[in-house]
Amino acid sequence: MLYTCTRDHNEHITASEAICRGISPSGGLYVPESLPHYGADTLAAMVPMSYRQRAKKVLGDFLGDFTADEIDACVENAYRDEKFGGSNPTPLHKLDDGTYMLELWHGPTCAFKDMALQILPHLLSCSMKRVHPDRTAVILVATSGDTGKAALEGFRDVPGTKVLVFYPCDGVSDMQKRQMVTQEGKNVGVCAIEGNFDDAQTAVKTIFTDDGMKRELAENGMMFSSANSINWGRLLPQIVYYFSAYCDMVASGAITMGDDINVVVPTGNFGNILAAYYASQMGLPVHKFVCASNANNVLTDFLNTGVYDKRRPFHCTTSPSMDILVSSNLERLLYQMSGCDDEKVKAWMHDLAANGVYTVDDKTREAIEKAFAAGWCSDEDAAHMIARLENEKGYLCDTHTAVAASVYEAYRAKTGDTHKTVIASTASAYKFPQSVLEALGEKPEGDGFAMAETLCEKTGEPMPAPLKALQDKPVRFTESCAVSGMKEAVRRLSGV
Ligand SMILES: *Cc1c(COP(=O)(O)O)cnc(C)c1O
């Protein structure tokens, strides 16, 4: 299977090349030229499989130039029982007869990004050996909190790689910041940015495509690659858990093979929900995708009107990993929904860069409206949902998951849609103890750890071990810079 570019159909490259490059020279994103199709028989055959077996099946169908042994090794290394607290890394928690929480945060950094970032370094390492055997991959990451730590932990001491992370200094929680500044490993660098996530992401994209920088790196035996969700190797592993959840629901008798389900996803960069959409295009029976946003509701407006307009105030919310005004992965949805029209996608992305706004054509808008519902909720609504889930169902959830639960409740009230529903639960509540405590009516006091202890006393939910361990780790990274200084920081941290 080959990959092409959302903005240029003349590109035809292998999976390994797409994973090494991350983004196309044209600025577009790599997409598979065709999708494998899973009929009822294929799905039925996946029901008795373990998570790792399901992952090997899906990855094998997309990574045409990987050997079966390579895929085997990548999957086995990534989803080890001890890293994910058991053989099923993505357990379903039944909230009530119709609603299931798909818990994606049992990995080493306690957010769903581990699902992709524990395996991407292995996929990249295999790809580099094939495509650029004598180069070190330099991973640049702009993070709104969870990606940075997950990337640092995934790439730490993986041979042939370096990882450099930029985070907005006022856009992440105390716990998230601590996770990053204490990161261990010989090939890691972390720097705070005086700006928001979008500033950091835009700057990373610019540095990535800067010919001068690329030359400097090449002269030093290095090349850029990306671990942001624009990298196909990041998105692909996320497709797996939607199939896996469906199979688990069939196995437990929650649904019958072939039944449609709804998928609700708290959305920022549009990676997680896009993976669900790809799964449906491959044959996963989905009735509706519900895209849940916080006050940064640019996606809600887009999915409901066909106009993407980022010219609006940026809000710092209690769900910081969704504080995003430019959702990079939406470009792949536009590509699929426009009938794979690279010229159209290129023109829309040009409008967005030049004017901050674009409008899709009626056909594309109608196709999107048919598949997607969209809503947003305030910090107050999310807090209210955290309290209700804890008090009424004894279920502790984080602020991002609460946004999804709140938007889903409104969707269900409005539509009366009673399909069985999977809500993506994207982080442990212990990553955001301040907001969660406030939601539960407790006064957060002290640092992140003191708050986590209060949360534990209040709810009886144990604190995940990887977060607990941070308490004793020394701070290694205190550097910060302006957005304009990021290029220099990349030089310094990569050692060119
Ligand atoms: C990254 C993240 C999201 C948003 O996911 P996207 O794939 O960017 O849409 C939601 N919740 C949490 C906890 C996250 O870390």
Side-chain angles (χ1 to χ4, degrees):
M1 177 188 290
L2 290 180
Y3 289 75
T4 188
C5 167
T6 49
R7 300 187 201 178
D8 182 3
H9 273 175
N10 293 319
E11 286 199 59
H12 306 282
I13 62 172
T14 61
S16 294
E17 275 175 293
I19 290 169
C20 288
R21 290 190 203 175
I23 194 168
S24 147
S26 68
L29 308 186
Y30 289 117
V31 285
E33 291 195 325
S34 62
L35 294 173
H37 194 79
Y38 293 0
D41 289 354
T42 312
L43 288 180
M46 287 168 82
V47 172
M49 292 184 187
S50 68
Y51 189 89
R52 290 193 288 261
Q53 288 171 322
R54 291 167 185 163
K56 287 173 198 174
K57 160 76 183 147
V58 175
L59 266 56
D61 288 337
F62 278 96
L63 302 176
D65 63 336
F66 279 58
T67 66
D69 283 349
E70 283 175 331
I71 288 171
D72 231 65
C74 288
V75 169
E76 292 295 334
N77 272 320
Y79 303 120
R80 289 206 304 270
D81 289 7
E82 63 271 25
K83 274 191 187 172
F84 284 86
S87 63
N88 184 358
T90 62
L92 279 166
H93 177 97
K94 184 173 172 179
L95 268 190
D96 57 49
D97 266 348
T99 319
Y100 296 79
M101 287 287 185
L102 176 58
E103 296 183 344
L104 302 172
W105 43 263
H106 291 279
T109 77
C110 308
F112 91 94
K113 300 207 166 53
D114 288 330
M115 293 309 300
L117 282 164
Q118 282 296 313
I119 193 167
L120 175 68
H122 301 291
L123 298 176
L124 181 65
S125 184
C126 283
S127 302
M128 288 290 289
K129 265 185 216 147
R130 211 175 344 266
V131 184
H132 304 283
D134 46 4
R135 295 279 194 94
T136 296
V138 176
I139 313 301
L140 287 188
V141 181
T143 184
S144 55
D146 293 326
T147 309
K149 175 61 183 180
L152 289 162
E153 196 58 38
F155 280 99
R156 132 190 204 184
D157 296 327
V158 170
T161 69
K162 290 186 185 196
V163 56
L164 312 179
V165 170
F166 295 95
Y167 69 93
C169 57
D170 296 323
V172 303
S173 80
D174 179 44
M175 210 54 130
Q176 288 177 315
K177 186 172 166 181
R178 237 175 225 266
Q179 281 186 305
M180 290 189 277
V181 298
T182 58
Q183 179 64 44
E184 292 155 300
K186 290 189 199 66
N187 61 340
V188 302
V190 177
C191 183
I193 292 301
E194 294 145 18
N196 64 35
F197 169 70
D198 282 319
D199 298 333
Q201 174 155 272
T202 305
V204 159
K205 274 194 166 185
T206 307
I207 293 171
F208 218 92
T209 46
D210 182 312
D211 286 333
M213 282 299 285
K214 284 199 269 190
R215 204 173 327 112
E216 282 178 51
L217 255 69
E219 284 162 8
N220 289 277
M222 295 184 262
M223 64 177 279
F224 282 132
S225 191
S226 157
N228 275 27
S229 58
I230 51 176
N231 192 313
W232 179 254
R234 174 81 189 277
L235 201 57
L236 174 59
Q238 299 187 267
I239 295 174
V240 176
Y241 50 72
Y242 290 106
F243 280 108
S244 189
Y246 191 89
C247 291
D248 286 347
M249 287 170 83
V250 171
S252 74
I255 54 172
T256 306
M257 179 57 76
D259 286 354
D260 280 344
I261 59 168
N262 292 325
V263 177
V264 185
V265 184
T267 302
N269 223 357
F270 211 78
N272 201 3
I273 194 166
L274 182 73
Y277 178 72
Y278 274 119
S280 77
Q281 294 304 288
M282 293 163 62
L284 187 75
V286 176
H287 173 66
K288 264 300 181 206
F289 301 93
V290 181
C291 175
S293 300
N294 62 25
N296 295 295
N297 55 5
V298 59
L299 281 168
T300 314
D301 290 348
F302 172 69
L303 295 170
N304 289 325
T305 66
V307 180
Y308 195 99
D309 190 347
K310 70 160 188 173
R311 300 167 304 176
R312 58 181 73 206
F314 178 85
H315 300 283
C316 285
T317 73
T318 54
S319 42
S321 297
M322 296 155 68
D323 290 346
I324 292 174
L325 290 180
V326 179
S327 297
S328 309
N329 259 307
L330 188 64
E331 181 166 343
R332 286 188 168 110
L333 182 76
L334 297 175
Y335 179 79
Q336 292 295 127
M337 289 290 188
S338 64
C340 305
D341 192 326
D342 57 337
E343 289 299 325
K344 269 187 190 161
V345 173
K346 190 170 159 188
W348 292 329
M349 292 303 119
H350 174 266
D351 286 350
L352 182 65
N355 310 315
V357 58
Y358 61 86
T359 305
V360 299
D361 59 277
D362 289 346
K363 234 175 115 189
T364 303
R365 194 197 67 237
E366 281 158 21
I368 291 173
E369 270 173 11
K370 212 168 144 212
F372 285 81
W376 69 281
C377 81
S378 64
D379 283 356
E380 292 71 35
D381 291 339
H384 193 57
M385 181 54 75
I386 289 173
R388 278 179 44 217
L389 286 176
E390 172 63 24
N391 298 333
E392 292 168 19
K393 307 212 190 265
Y395 188 74
L396 179 63
C397 80
D398 91 296
T399 46
H400 304 75
T401 308
V403 167
S406 176
V407 167
Y408 171 61
E409 186 176 67
Y411 164 81
R412 189 161 168 172
K414 187 173 139 202
T415 60
D417 180 353
T418 56
H419 283 89
K420 295 274 161 66
T421 294
V422 168
I423 298 177
S425 173
T426 50
S428 159
Y430 282 98
K431 283 197 93 167
F432 307 94
Q434 177 168 355
S435 303
V436 173
L437 276 179
E438 279 168 359
L440 295 175
E442 296 284 320
K443 201 157 160 254
E445 277 170 328
D447 65 4
F449 288 105
M451 292 180 205
E453 261 158 38
T454 313
L455 187 56
C456 187
E457 281 160 28
K458 165 100 185 155
T459 63
E461 257 326 290
M463 181 172 178
L467 293 181
K468 216 168 181 171
L470 289 178
Q471 201 154 12
D472 305 319
K473 290 193 177 161
V475 171
R476 288 186 67 202
F477 300 98
T478 51
E479 206 177 315
S480 73
C481 73
V483 172
S484 59
M486 280 171 66
K487 221 163 139 171
E488 199 42 51
V490 169
R491 287 199 185 93
R492 199 168 49 247
L493 292 167
S494 66
V496 300

